Amino acid sequence: MTPTPTATPTPSASAQTGVVTITASQLSESKNAQGEVVVSVNGAVTELLLPGNAAELLGRAPLRVVMQDLSVTIPATVLAELSKLISAEALAKSTISLRLKPVADNTAVDLLARASALAGAQLRAKSDLREWSLSIFTQNDQSFSLRQFAEPIMISYKVGADVDRSLLGIYFIEDVGKLEYMSSTWTNGYLSAAVSHFSKYVVLEVDKTFKDLKSDHWAYLAVKQLAVKQLVQGVAADRFDPNRAVTRAEFTAMLVRALGLKGQAEPGFADVPADKWYAEAVGLAKQAGVINGQTASQFEPEAKISRQEMAAMLARAYAYAKSKVSVASRNISAFNDIGYAPQWAQEAISEVYRLGLMQGRAEGQFAPNQNGTRAESAQMILNLLSVME
């Protein structure tokens, strides 16, 4: 559940030096309506200190700390996992440290410049670039940290109103400048993301353009917005090739990224070797019931995908996401070429057209057997995301 950072938190603490100590009594306070223990902090914060037995004090309640320009929600399970890194004897006199230290200005500028060059995009920071870490310290100053969290920690940034939300996202940035988009959602003026590890995070406005996709192209905005979320990529740093046909593997990978499917899964097809770039995506999509093979053993990943096949995959992706958004009814009788498609395709086309996931190619024409293009696939993925929100 996405936190609501604007809820009135109690009790409060002050950050005179940037370091705030949250006491045992504060962690034992009654929960709010969302079942969270909420602490409000005034002033700029670079470190939060908690008792080593914070998980025990919280019970099962998550801890949400609301600060000047951001908030963080830590599940009690993560704090419990951290406390297990030291002995029960050491735990009694230990301290948990959550550090969120702003990166020095010159270092941040250099790092964002490297990231901009690697991404081939204009980047504008809309928050401080912070180095996050979560550790537990014993009385003799030994420290232990978690590489991965068993349950995600939610970080939320307060962002001004004068921004283009469709171009904003929370990003993890590596020291070499490589960016990784963290699936971000908006709630009450805050941009939030669930993270499974700590490092450097920042809110970025990303402006990615391609020389062969001008601003008057019908798919221009769709591609730009999906590039922010790293759901589409160019065929080169400055070229998108919007009219090129899409393969079955490429469209599968886009759907997997859009649905946020993760984990490990066997490809399950004889023509999808485990060392191919699309093997993981095909396995995850098959596991989720989003794709079928052309036969029981053949997926034909390199084959160009038809629009009726795209319709079938989109319909299954929507069913997997189980969106509760109501949509207006639309009738495929608007197309006069649907009768040439097989029954399974007619059903899929009817569903995705009703949902607004796909349009016709021309008046009265759906073109079910024609190959889908990269531009069309981008618009379809954006449509899918919009009904999943």
Side-chain angles (χ1 to χ4, degrees):
M1 178 177 176
T2 303
T4 308
T6 54
T8 303
T10 56
S12 62
S14 178
Q16 298 291 334
T17 63
V19 179
V20 174
T21 298
I22 297 175
T23 65
S25 61
Q26 288 175 306
L27 296 180
S28 302
E29 290 288 329
S30 60
K31 305 177 184 65
N32 67 3
Q34 288 78 39
E36 304 166 321
V37 172
V38 185
V39 176
S40 174
V41 176
N42 299 316
V45 177
T46 59
E47 185 175 19
L48 295 168
L49 300 177
L50 312 174
N53 66 337
E56 179 183 345
L57 295 168
L58 289 165
R60 295 184 178 181
L63 169 66
R64 178 157 59 89
V65 183
V66 181
M67 293 161 273
Q68 181 174 285
D69 55 355
L70 55 86
S71 77
V72 58
T73 302
I74 309 174
T77 52
V78 173
L79 297 175
E81 185 184 20
L82 188 64
S83 67
K84 291 177 183 177
L85 298 179
I86 61 176
S87 67
E89 183 181 359
L91 184 64
K93 297 181 179 180
S94 66
T95 301
I96 292 173
S97 166
L98 171 65
R99 288 178 179 161
L100 46 157
K101 185 177 179 182
V103 176
D105 288 346
N106 58 339
T107 303
V109 168
D110 290 344
L111 190 53
L112 289 175
R114 288 200 294 273
S116 179
L118 280 175
Q122 293 183 2
L123 307 179
R124 300 179 186 88
K126 296 298 181 179
S127 74
D128 288 336
L129 172 59
R130 292 177 182 264
E131 176 87 40
W132 295 71
S133 64
L134 182 65
S135 307
I136 189 165
F137 289 82
T138 63
Q139 188 178 33
N140 60 3
D141 245 9
Q142 287 184 303
S143 67
F144 302 86
S145 303
L146 294 171
R147 290 182 177 271
Q148 295 282 326
F149 308 137
E151 191 175 341
I153 289 176
M154 185 72 72
I155 57 177
S156 304
Y157 292 82
K158 191 173 184 179
V159 181
D162 58 338
V163 295
D164 185 345
R165 289 189 173 190
S166 67
L167 301 182
L168 253 60
I170 296 174
Y171 287 84
F172 158 51
I173 182 168
E174 297 181 12
D175 290 337
V176 294
K178 184 179 178 182
L179 293 173
E180 180 182 347
Y181 171 78
M182 312 306 295
S183 184
S184 309
T185 57
W186 287 92
T187 306
N188 298 329
Y190 280 74
L191 186 63
S192 304
V195 301
S196 58
H197 65 87
F198 271 159
S199 187
K200 296 181 180 70
Y201 291 97
V202 63
V203 177
L204 292 177
E205 180 182 79
V206 179
D207 189 356
K208 174 70 176 177
T209 58
F210 299 95
K211 290 181 179 178
D212 59 350
L213 197 64
K214 303 300 183 184
S215 59
D216 58 353
H217 191 285
W218 62 267
Y220 174 79
L221 288 177
V223 172
K224 182 185 281 285
Q225 291 173 25
L226 292 181
V228 171
K229 298 175 171 62
Q230 297 181 331
L231 294 177
V232 298
Q233 298 175 337
V235 297
D238 60 353
R239 190 163 60 87
F240 187 74
D241 205 358
N243 297 319
R244 199 198 80 188
V246 176
T247 67
R248 286 168 55 81
E250 288 172 334
F251 193 61
T252 297
M254 291 176 70
L255 286 174
V256 166
R257 291 193 293 266
L259 293 173
L261 301 180
K262 297 186 183 298
Q264 294 182 336
E266 294 296 324
F269 295 103
D271 60 349
V272 181
D275 59 352
K276 288 292 187 179
W277 67 266
Y278 48 75
E280 182 179 279
V282 169
L284 290 170
K286 184 172 186 283
Q287 184 173 270
V290 173
I291 61 171
N292 289 329
Q294 299 292 54
T295 68
S297 62
Q298 301 292 306
F299 182 67
E300 297 187 13
E302 306 289 354
K304 295 175 182 178
I305 190 169
S306 68
R307 285 171 52 82
Q308 65 186 20
E309 289 174 324
M310 295 171 101
M313 288 189 190
L314 279 169
R316 296 188 203 108
Y318 176 83
Y320 177 85
K322 296 180 180 177
S323 173
K324 295 180 176 61
V325 177
S326 61
V327 294
S329 179
R330 304 164 80 202
N331 197 318
I332 61 168
S333 61
F335 304 115
N336 55 36
D337 59 350
I338 299 301
Y340 298 104
Q343 186 61 36
W344 64 264
Q346 292 185 37
E347 293 172 0
I349 292 167
S350 177
E351 177 70 357
V352 297
Y353 183 62
R354 181 183 71 83
L355 295 169
L357 301 179
M358 288 183 73
Q359 307 293 329
R361 273 226 170 136
E363 187 174 354
Q365 299 290 306
F366 187 81
N369 293 307
Q370 292 183 21
N371 295 323
T373 68
R374 284 171 55 80
E376 287 176 330
S377 63
Q379 186 63 59
M380 292 174 201
I381 295 298
L382 189 63
N383 294 342
L384 177 62
L385 291 175
S386 69
V387 299
M388 285 167 50
E389 289 178 349

